[in-house]
Amino acid sequence: MKYIEDLRDGENIVVHYLCKKKETLKTKGGKNYMSMILADKTGTISAKVWTLNNDIQSFEAGDFIKIEAAVVTYVDDLQLNVRKIRKSMAGEYLPADYVPTTDKDIDAIYAAICEMIKSIENPHIGQLLTNIFIENAKIKNDFMTNSAARSMHHAYMGGLCEHTLSVAQICDFLAPRYKFVNRDLLIAAALLHDIGKIFELSDFPENDYTDDGKLLGHIIIGVEFIATEAAKVEDFPHTLKSLLQHCILSHHGRHEYGSPILPKTMEAMLLSYADITDAHTKMLEESLEKLPASGDWTGYNRAMERDLRKSSF
C-alpha cells in the first residue's frame, strides 16, 4: 500500500484508493477531462484523467478503484495524472487502509464514559444517560465509530467518542473549582454536546454531511434528540431539560462559531470552554504530527488563522 502522505513528485504508482469525488469538466480548449478526489486513511489528493479512453473503466464516487498514475506537482501541491482506472475487486484492498482511526483503545474510552455515567447522582440525568449510552446498542455503536468532524479535528473513526470523553474529563476537573456549578448537569451536557453528530455525519468511508446535517446541523439535531429521550424518562423535570438543551445550543460559545444562543449558565460556559480547549488543542497536535523531524513551524494554519510552532529547543 502506497499511502497518500508518502507520495513524492516524479513517482509512478499502481495502487488502490477510495474515490470520494468524481466529475467531468472541460479544459479551456473545450476538451473533456475527469477530476477526482482520492483518499486513504492518511489524507486526500486531487487526481486528473486528461485522456478519456478504454483504459478508464466505469466507476462512481464511493467506489474503491485501482489506478496507474504519475505523481506531479501543481501549484505547490501534489496531484495525480491518471492513465488507467478500474474498480477494485474484493480482496485486493484492506478497508482499514482507507479509514482513519483513533490510535487509542476505543473500548476503554467508552468504558470510561460509562463509569462517568455511573457517578451521576441525579436519578433523572442518570436514567437519561443510561438509556442513551448503555441501553441503546445502535447509539453505542454509532458513537464509538463516528468522527467528531468532517475535517477540523478528531476527523477519524472513534474521534467522536475520544473528543467527548476529553471534554467530559475537562468539565469534571473544572466543576468543583467554581461555585454554582451543578456537576451532574455539566457532565451530562459534556457527554451529549455532540450527540447530534451521529446523525449529522455519514458513516465511514464517506464521513460527509447527511441531508439532516446540511439542513439542521448537529446542534439542532442534538437539542431535538434530548427532548425525545427526556420524554422517555418518567417525570423528567422541564427546567432540567431546558438547562441541558441550553448547554447544547450554546456550546460553540459565540454566534459566529455557530451557537444559536450564548452561554447563560455556569454549566454552559464551562462546557463551551472545555469544548474549544479540546478541539483547538487537537488541531494543534494534528498539525505538529505532520511536521518533518527537522521542522519546527507548520506554516499558516487556515482553521486556526496563525502559524504554529513546536516547542523544541
Side-chain angles (χ1 to χ4, degrees), residues 258-299:
S259 277
I261 196 165
L262 299 179
K264 298 179 180 179
T265 66
M266 286 290 285
E267 296 80 15
M269 186 73 73
L270 292 178
L271 173 62
S272 70
Y273 290 154
D275 182 46
I276 198 168
T277 295
D278 187 61
H280 280 195
T281 304
K282 187 63 178 180
M283 288 163 64
L284 174 58
E285 178 184 84
E286 291 174 352
S287 293
L288 295 178
E289 284 178 339
K290 296 176 182 178
L291 280 174
S294 59
D296 290 329
W297 287 95
T298 65

Side-chain angles (χ1 to χ4, degrees), residues 111-122:
I113 288 175
C114 292
E115 285 301 311
M116 197 165 281
I117 291 171
K118 292 177 183 177
S119 73
I120 298 294
E121 296 180 357
N122 181 284

Side-chain angles (χ1 to χ4, degrees), residues 6 21 35 66 71 102 109 118 129 139 146 183 192 196 218 229 252 262 294:
D6 296 326
K21 183 178 180 181
S35 179
K66 182 179 181 180
V71 184
T102 178
I109 291 174
K118 292 177 183 177
L129 296 176
I139 294 294
N146 268 56
R183 178 189 179 272
L192 292 168
H218 74 280
E229 292 300 315
H252 281 186
L262 299 179
S294 59

Side-chain angles (χ1 to χ4, degrees), residues 185 189 193 219 222-223 226 238-253 255 259-272:
L185 174 58
H193 80 282
I219 290 178
V223 168
I226 288 169
H238 176 80
T239 300
L240 176 57
K241 180 186 72 173
S242 295
L243 288 168
L244 182 54
Q245 289 177 311
H246 171 71
C247 290
I248 309 307
L249 282 169
S250 63
H251 80 265
H252 281 186
H255 293 310
S259 277
I261 196 165
L262 299 179
K264 298 179 180 179
T265 66
M266 286 290 285
E267 296 80 15
M269 186 73 73
L270 292 178
L271 173 62
S272 70

Side-chain angles (χ1 to χ4, degrees), residues 1 45 79 86-87 96 119 160-161 166 170 211 216 227 231 235 240 242 262 270 272 278:
M1 177 68 191
I45 189 169
Q79 178 178 287
R86 70 164 171 80
K87 286 180 65 172
S119 73
L160 177 59
C161 204
S166 293
I170 294 170
D211 281 351
L216 304 175
D235 297 325
L240 176 57
S242 295
L262 299 179
L270 292 178
S272 70
D278 187 61

